[in-house]
Amino acid sequence: AQRVTQPEKLLSVFKGAPVELKCNYSYSGSPELFWYVQYSRQRLQLLLRHISRESIKGFTADLNKGETSFHLKKPFAQEEDSAMYYCALSPYAGNMLTFGGGTRLMVKP
Amino acid sequence: DVKVTQSSRYLVKRTGEKVFLECVQDMDHENMFWYRQDPGLGLRLIYFSYDVKMKEKGDIPEGYSVSREKKERFSLILESASTNQTSMYLCASLTRNTEAFFGQGTRLTVV
């Protein structure tokens, strides 16, 4: 069975500081990995996926198969980045998503 | 624009009541899911459905059942509500490339 772990429940940084939200997963195959974000009073939505290898809102995430990690990074945090972030895994395209426990990011002015 | 709509934003029910949570999507997606969202526990999968009349148990199906009579509608049923089912419930519809579109959530309180 697959499992996703986000070790930090809360991450607090100052505006302009670098941010790294950690995600570790366990799965025997080669899964698809995602980051979802939920801003205050908004729906949960896709932020980025590992196969697209793109930067969204300044965030990037690299899949490290050796360490089974998919950490989310941004070099300079902005106040509008404050949100709940969830890492998610799918065994293959179109299959169910397993989510981590989430990390609340607070960016202070 | 994909829309996933949950019938209620807030519900308050009594212990032992049968509760129906409805979810409708308008993009002809085959895969639909019900999660519950609890602080510190993230999203936990209750049930999912790959097609009409097809359902699979997720990680925490106990105390719940589902119905998918039409492709666009996926209902979650609490057979006999209990206080430990007080939670935020999220419905999602999944594209073939695994992008999930979520409803706005239903906050259920069982008293």
Side-chain angles (χ1 to χ4, degrees), chain B residues 9 11 15 17-19 22 29 36-37 42-43 61 64 66 68-71 79 84 89 92 95 97 100 102 106 108:
Chain B
R9 288 298 301 273
L11 277 178
T15 300
E17 279 193 75
K18 191 169 186 175
V19 182
E22 307 285 344
H29 291 161
R36 62 178 281 177
Q37 184 182 32
L43 277 71
Y64 304 93
V66 290
R68 185 120 181 250
E69 296 296 319
K70 294 184 178 181
K71 194 172 188 178
E79 298 291 343
N84 63 12
Y89 290 87
T95 67
N97 66 348
F102 283 86
T106 297
L108 173 67

mmCIF file of all heavy atoms in Angstrom, chain B residues 9 11 15 17-19 22 29 36-37 42-43 61 64 66 68-71 79 84 89 92 95 97 100 102 106 108:
data_model
loop_
_atom_site.group_PDB
_atom_site.id
_atom_site.type_symbol
_atom_site.label_atom_id
_atom_site.label_comp_id
_atom_site.label_asym_id
_atom_site.label_seq_id
_atom_site.Cartn_x
_atom_site.Cartn_y
_atom_site.Cartn_z
ATOM 1 N N ARG B 9 -23.051 23.141 2.355
ATOM 2 C CA ARG B 9 -21.799 23.612 2.940
ATOM 3 C C ARG B 9 -21.683 23.207 4.396
ATOM 4 O O ARG B 9 -20.609 22.864 4.881
ATOM 5 C CB ARG B 9 -21.693 25.131 2.846
ATOM 6 C CG ARG B 9 -21.440 25.688 1.471
ATOM 7 C CD ARG B 9 -20.107 25.215 0.894
ATOM 8 N NE ARG B 9 -18.982 25.584 1.722
ATOM 9 C CZ ARG B 9 -18.334 26.744 1.638
ATOM 10 N NH1 ARG B 9 -18.715 27.661 0.793
ATOM 11 N NH2 ARG B 9 -17.292 26.989 2.415
ATOM 12 N N LEU B 11 -23.822 21.065 7.646
ATOM 13 C CA LEU B 11 -24.920 20.191 8.080
ATOM 14 C C LEU B 11 -24.749 19.904 9.566
ATOM 15 O O LEU B 11 -23.624 19.674 10.027
ATOM 16 C CB LEU B 11 -24.883 18.855 7.331
ATOM 17 C CG LEU B 11 -25.512 18.735 5.947
ATOM 18 C CD1 LEU B 11 -25.303 17.330 5.421
ATOM 19 C CD2 LEU B 11 -26.994 19.069 6.010
ATOM 20 N N THR B 15 -27.048 12.162 16.393
ATOM 21 C CA THR B 15 -26.512 10.805 16.469
ATOM 22 C C THR B 15 -27.587 9.806 16.084
ATOM 23 O O THR B 15 -28.738 9.901 16.562
ATOM 24 C CB THR B 15 -26.014 10.517 17.890
ATOM 25 O OG1 THR B 15 -24.987 11.455 18.224
ATOM 26 C CG2 THR B 15 -25.439 9.113 17.991
ATOM 27 N N GLU B 17 -28.891 9.398 13.104
ATOM 28 C CA GLU B 17 -29.590 9.760 11.860
ATOM 29 C C GLU B 17 -28.875 9.187 10.644
ATOM 30 O O GLU B 17 -27.659 8.988 10.653
ATOM 31 C CB GLU B 17 -29.652 11.284 11.704
ATOM 32 C CG GLU B 17 -30.745 11.965 12.474
ATOM 33 C CD GLU B 17 -30.936 13.416 12.007
ATOM 34 O OE1 GLU B 17 -31.513 13.624 10.917
ATOM 35 O OE2 GLU B 17 -30.485 14.322 12.737
ATOM 36 N N LYS B 18 -29.636 8.959 9.586
ATOM 37 C CA LYS B 18 -29.059 8.592 8.300
ATOM 38 C C LYS B 18 -28.793 9.888 7.531
ATOM 39 O O LYS B 18 -29.684 10.729 7.421
ATOM 40 C CB LYS B 18 -30.007 7.692 7.522
ATOM 41 C CG LYS B 18 -29.388 7.040 6.296
ATOM 42 C CD LYS B 18 -30.296 5.944 5.729
ATOM 43 C CE LYS B 18 -29.631 5.183 4.590
ATOM 44 N NZ LYS B 18 -30.448 4.058 4.116
ATOM 45 N N VAL B 19 -27.573 10.034 7.037
ATOM 46 C CA VAL B 19 -27.156 11.295 6.416
ATOM 47 C C VAL B 19 -26.730 11.040 4.977
ATOM 48 O O VAL B 19 -26.001 10.077 4.689
ATOM 49 C CB VAL B 19 -25.981 11.929 7.193
ATOM 50 C CG1 VAL B 19 -25.580 13.264 6.570
ATOM 51 C CG2 VAL B 19 -26.341 12.121 8.662
ATOM 52 N N GLU B 22 -24.382 14.770 -1.060
ATOM 53 C CA GLU B 22 -24.476 14.640 -2.511
ATOM 54 C C GLU B 22 -23.366 15.406 -3.204
ATOM 55 O O GLU B 22 -22.975 16.495 -2.759
ATOM 56 C CB GLU B 22 -25.828 15.175 -2.991
ATOM 57 C CG GLU B 22 -27.040 14.586 -2.292
ATOM 58 C CD GLU B 22 -27.345 13.181 -2.760
ATOM 59 O OE1 GLU B 22 -26.816 12.780 -3.816
ATOM 60 O OE2 GLU B 22 -28.096 12.482 -2.068
ATOM 61 N N HIS B 29 -16.490 13.010 -15.966
ATOM 62 C CA HIS B 29 -15.382 12.215 -15.452
ATOM 63 C C HIS B 29 -15.889 10.880 -14.946
ATOM 64 O O HIS B 29 -16.946 10.788 -14.323
ATOM 65 C CB HIS B 29 -14.688 12.949 -14.299
ATOM 66 C CG HIS B 29 -13.938 14.162 -14.754
ATOM 67 N ND1 HIS B 29 -13.567 15.161 -13.870
ATOM 68 C CD2 HIS B 29 -13.482 14.546 -15.969
ATOM 69 C CE1 HIS B 29 -12.922 16.097 -14.534
ATOM 70 N NE2 HIS B 29 -12.859 15.753 -15.812
ATOM 71 N N ARG B 36 -12.486 12.462 3.735
ATOM 72 C CA ARG B 36 -12.747 13.327 4.872
ATOM 73 C C ARG B 36 -11.431 14.007 5.250
ATOM 74 O O ARG B 36 -10.350 13.418 5.118
ATOM 75 C CB ARG B 36 -13.382 12.608 6.058
ATOM 76 C CG ARG B 36 -12.632 11.505 6.712
ATOM 77 C CD ARG B 36 -13.394 10.943 7.911
ATOM 78 N NE ARG B 36 -13.275 11.769 9.100
ATOM 79 C CZ ARG B 36 -13.883 11.527 10.251
ATOM 80 N NH1 ARG B 36 -14.690 10.473 10.367
ATOM 81 N NH2 ARG B 36 -13.708 12.314 11.280
ATOM 82 N N GLN B 37 -11.563 15.264 5.676
ATOM 83 C CA GLN B 37 -10.397 16.103 5.941
ATOM 84 C C GLN B 37 -10.409 16.468 7.409
ATOM 85 O O GLN B 37 -11.339 17.116 7.885
ATOM 86 C CB GLN B 37 -10.465 17.362 5.073
ATOM 87 C CG GLN B 37 -9.256 18.280 5.200
ATOM 88 C CD GLN B 37 -9.409 19.535 4.335
ATOM 89 O OE1 GLN B 37 -10.507 20.023 4.118
ATOM 90 N NE2 GLN B 37 -8.295 20.051 3.834
ATOM 91 N N GLY B 42 -4.833 15.038 7.407
ATOM 92 C CA GLY B 42 -4.907 15.256 5.972
ATOM 93 C C GLY B 42 -6.221 14.770 5.390
ATOM 94 O O GLY B 42 -7.268 14.805 6.055
ATOM 95 N N LEU B 43 -6.158 14.310 4.163
ATOM 96 C CA LEU B 43 -7.331 13.768 3.481
ATOM 97 C C LEU B 43 -7.248 12.246 3.506
ATOM 98 O O LEU B 43 -6.250 11.663 3.096
ATOM 99 C CB LEU B 43 -7.381 14.238 2.025
ATOM 100 C CG LEU B 43 -7.968 15.602 1.732
ATOM 101 C CD1 LEU B 43 -7.066 16.711 2.205
ATOM 102 C CD2 LEU B 43 -8.254 15.747 0.249
ATOM 103 N N PRO B 61 -13.614 3.078 5.220
ATOM 104 C CA PRO B 61 -15.003 2.957 4.770
ATOM 105 C C PRO B 61 -16.014 2.636 5.870
ATOM 106 O O PRO B 61 -17.224 2.742 5.637
ATOM 107 C CB PRO B 61 -14.920 1.786 3.793
ATOM 108 C CG PRO B 61 -13.809 0.939 4.349
ATOM 109 C CD PRO B 61 -12.807 1.898 4.922
ATOM 110 N N TYR B 64 -19.739 4.066 6.506
ATOM 111 C CA TYR B 64 -20.151 4.805 5.318
ATOM 112 C C TYR B 64 -20.561 3.837 4.211
ATOM 113 O O TYR B 64 -20.110 2.696 4.173
ATOM 114 C CB TYR B 64 -19.008 5.672 4.783
ATOM 115 C CG TYR B 64 -18.416 6.651 5.751
ATOM 116 C CD1 TYR B 64 -17.300 6.315 6.522
ATOM 117 C CD2 TYR B 64 -18.955 7.926 5.890
ATOM 118 C CE1 TYR B 64 -16.743 7.219 7.412
ATOM 119 C CE2 TYR B 64 -18.404 8.843 6.773
ATOM 120 C CZ TYR B 64 -17.287 8.479 7.527
ATOM 121 O OH TYR B 64 -16.737 9.380 8.407
ATOM 122 N N VAL B 66 -21.811 4.257 -0.278
ATOM 123 C CA VAL B 66 -21.906 5.206 -1.385
ATOM 124 C C VAL B 66 -22.887 4.692 -2.428
ATOM 125 O O VAL B 66 -23.249 3.507 -2.446
ATOM 126 C CB VAL B 66 -20.541 5.446 -2.061
ATOM 127 C CG1 VAL B 66 -19.599 6.232 -1.146
ATOM 128 C CG2 VAL B 66 -19.920 4.138 -2.520
ATOM 129 N N ARG B 68 -23.674 5.365 -6.756
ATOM 130 C CA ARG B 68 -23.374 6.041 -8.026
ATOM 131 C C ARG B 68 -24.310 5.466 -9.083
ATOM 132 O O ARG B 68 -23.981 4.546 -9.800
ATOM 133 C CB ARG B 68 -21.915 5.840 -8.431
ATOM 134 C CG ARG B 68 -21.527 6.631 -9.702
ATOM 135 C CD ARG B 68 -20.426 7.572 -9.400
ATOM 136 N NE ARG B 68 -20.052 8.359 -10.562
ATOM 137 C CZ ARG B 68 -18.893 8.207 -11.213
ATOM 138 N NH1 ARG B 68 -18.021 7.284 -10.832
ATOM 139 N NH2 ARG B 68 -18.617 8.983 -12.240
ATOM 140 N N GLU B 69 -25.483 6.049 -9.171
ATOM 141 C CA GLU B 69 -26.505 5.602 -10.116
ATOM 142 C C GLU B 69 -26.359 6.308 -11.465
ATOM 143 O O GLU B 69 -26.759 5.771 -12.500
ATOM 144 C CB GLU B 69 -27.899 5.844 -9.548
ATOM 145 C CG GLU B 69 -28.194 5.026 -8.295
ATOM 146 C CD GLU B 69 -28.205 3.547 -8.573
ATOM 147 O OE1 GLU B 69 -28.748 3.134 -9.617
ATOM 148 O OE2 GLU B 69 -27.654 2.777 -7.752
ATOM 149 N N LYS B 70 -25.807 7.506 -11.445
ATOM 150 C CA LYS B 70 -25.548 8.257 -12.668
ATOM 151 C C LYS B 70 -24.097 8.719 -12.650
ATOM 152 O O LYS B 70 -23.522 8.940 -11.590
ATOM 153 C CB LYS B 70 -26.483 9.459 -12.781
ATOM 154 C CG LYS B 70 -27.939 9.087 -12.960
ATOM 155 C CD LYS B 70 -28.786 10.333 -13.164
ATOM 156 C CE LYS B 70 -30.233 9.963 -13.393
ATOM 157 N NZ LYS B 70 -31.085 11.145 -13.623
ATOM 158 N N LYS B 71 -23.552 8.896 -13.837
ATOM 159 C CA LYS B 71 -22.124 9.209 -13.939
ATOM 160 C C LYS B 71 -21.772 10.504 -13.226
ATOM 161 O O LYS B 71 -20.704 10.629 -12.633
ATOM 162 C CB LYS B 71 -21.738 9.309 -15.419
ATOM 163 C CG LYS B 71 -20.239 9.295 -15.672
ATOM 164 C CD LYS B 71 -19.966 9.201 -17.162
ATOM 165 C CE LYS B 71 -18.494 8.999 -17.440
ATOM 166 N NZ LYS B 71 -18.235 8.862 -18.891
ATOM 167 N N GLU B 79 -24.808 5.680 7.448
ATOM 168 C CA GLU B 79 -25.965 4.850 7.775
ATOM 169 C C GLU B 79 -26.566 5.219 9.128
ATOM 170 O O GLU B 79 -27.782 5.249 9.282
ATOM 171 C CB GLU B 79 -25.555 3.382 7.755
ATOM 172 C CG GLU B 79 -25.061 2.889 6.391
ATOM 173 C CD GLU B 79 -26.174 2.830 5.348
ATOM 174 O OE1 GLU B 79 -27.360 2.852 5.731
ATOM 175 O OE2 GLU B 79 -25.861 2.764 4.143
ATOM 176 N N ASN B 84 -18.048 10.725 16.060
ATOM 177 C CA ASN B 84 -16.710 10.653 15.477
ATOM 178 C C ASN B 84 -16.715 10.812 13.952
ATOM 179 O O ASN B 84 -15.656 10.766 13.307
ATOM 180 C CB ASN B 84 -15.974 9.383 15.897
ATOM 181 C CG ASN B 84 -16.647 8.120 15.417
ATOM 182 O OD1 ASN B 84 -17.557 8.156 14.583
ATOM 183 N ND2 ASN B 84 -16.210 6.984 15.941
ATOM 184 N N TYR B 89 -16.084 16.961 4.756
ATOM 185 C CA TYR B 89 -16.132 15.944 3.713
ATOM 186 C C TYR B 89 -15.911 16.597 2.358
ATOM 187 O O TYR B 89 -16.564 17.594 2.013
ATOM 188 C CB TYR B 89 -17.473 15.203 3.747
ATOM 189 C CG TYR B 89 -17.587 14.317 4.964
ATOM 190 C CD1 TYR B 89 -18.069 14.824 6.166
ATOM 191 C CD2 TYR B 89 -17.176 12.990 4.919
ATOM 192 C CE1 TYR B 89 -18.140 14.029 7.298
ATOM 193 C CE2 TYR B 89 -17.243 12.178 6.042
ATOM 194 C CZ TYR B 89 -17.724 12.708 7.233
ATOM 195 O OH TYR B 89 -17.790 11.918 8.354
ATOM 196 N N ALA B 92 -14.376 14.698 -4.895
ATOM 197 C CA ALA B 92 -13.478 15.048 -5.990
ATOM 198 C C ALA B 92 -13.801 14.224 -7.219
ATOM 199 O O ALA B 92 -14.269 13.091 -7.139
ATOM 200 C CB ALA B 92 -12.016 14.826 -5.583
ATOM 201 N N THR B 95 -9.598 13.665 -13.541
ATOM 202 C CA THR B 95 -9.377 13.546 -14.978
ATOM 203 C C THR B 95 -8.517 12.310 -15.266
ATOM 204 O O THR B 95 -7.949 11.700 -14.358
ATOM 205 C CB THR B 95 -8.633 14.781 -15.521
ATOM 206 O OG1 THR B 95 -7.304 14.788 -14.983
ATOM 207 C CG2 THR B 95 -9.340 16.072 -15.123
ATOM 208 N N ASN B 97 -5.676 12.265 -16.570
ATOM 209 C CA ASN B 97 -4.262 12.481 -16.239
ATOM 210 C C ASN B 97 -4.093 12.853 -14.768
ATOM 211 O O ASN B 97 -3.150 13.530 -14.386
ATOM 212 C CB ASN B 97 -3.629 13.537 -17.150
ATOM 213 C CG ASN B 97 -4.227 14.913 -16.928
ATOM 214 O OD1 ASN B 97 -5.238 15.048 -16.265
ATOM 215 N ND2 ASN B 97 -3.598 15.928 -17.480
ATOM 216 N N ALA B 100 -7.216 16.161 -9.874
ATOM 217 C CA ALA B 100 -8.445 16.103 -9.095
ATOM 218 C C ALA B 100 -9.060 17.481 -8.968
ATOM 219 O O ALA B 100 -8.372 18.459 -8.669
ATOM 220 C CB ALA B 100 -8.170 15.525 -7.708
ATOM 221 N N PHE B 102 -11.937 19.430 -6.829
ATOM 222 C CA PHE B 102 -12.645 19.229 -5.571
ATOM 223 C C PHE B 102 -13.886 20.096 -5.464
ATOM 224 O O PHE B 102 -13.946 21.208 -6.001
ATOM 225 C CB PHE B 102 -11.719 19.550 -4.398
ATOM 226 C CG PHE B 102 -10.723 18.476 -4.115
ATOM 227 C CD1 PHE B 102 -9.520 18.444 -4.788
ATOM 228 C CD2 PHE B 102 -11.000 17.484 -3.185
ATOM 229 C CE1 PHE B 102 -8.588 17.440 -4.540
ATOM 230 C CE2 PHE B 102 -10.087 16.470 -2.934
ATOM 231 C CZ PHE B 102 -8.877 16.453 -3.606
ATOM 232 N N THR B 106 -18.255 19.856 2.600
ATOM 233 C CA THR B 106 -19.414 19.877 3.501
ATOM 234 C C THR B 106 -18.909 19.672 4.916
ATOM 235 O O THR B 106 -18.286 18.648 5.202
ATOM 236 C CB THR B 106 -20.423 18.765 3.158
ATOM 237 O OG1 THR B 106 -20.945 18.975 1.854
ATOM 238 C CG2 THR B 106 -21.560 18.750 4.183
ATOM 239 N N LEU B 108 -19.762 18.664 8.335
ATOM 240 C CA LEU B 108 -20.807 17.922 9.039
ATOM 241 C C LEU B 108 -20.507 17.902 10.531
ATOM 242 O O LEU B 108 -19.403 17.548 10.941
ATOM 243 C CB LEU B 108 -20.885 16.487 8.522
ATOM 244 C CG LEU B 108 -21.810 15.538 9.279
ATOM 245 C CD1 LEU B 108 -23.264 15.973 9.099
ATOM 246 C CD2 LEU B 108 -21.627 14.104 8.797
#
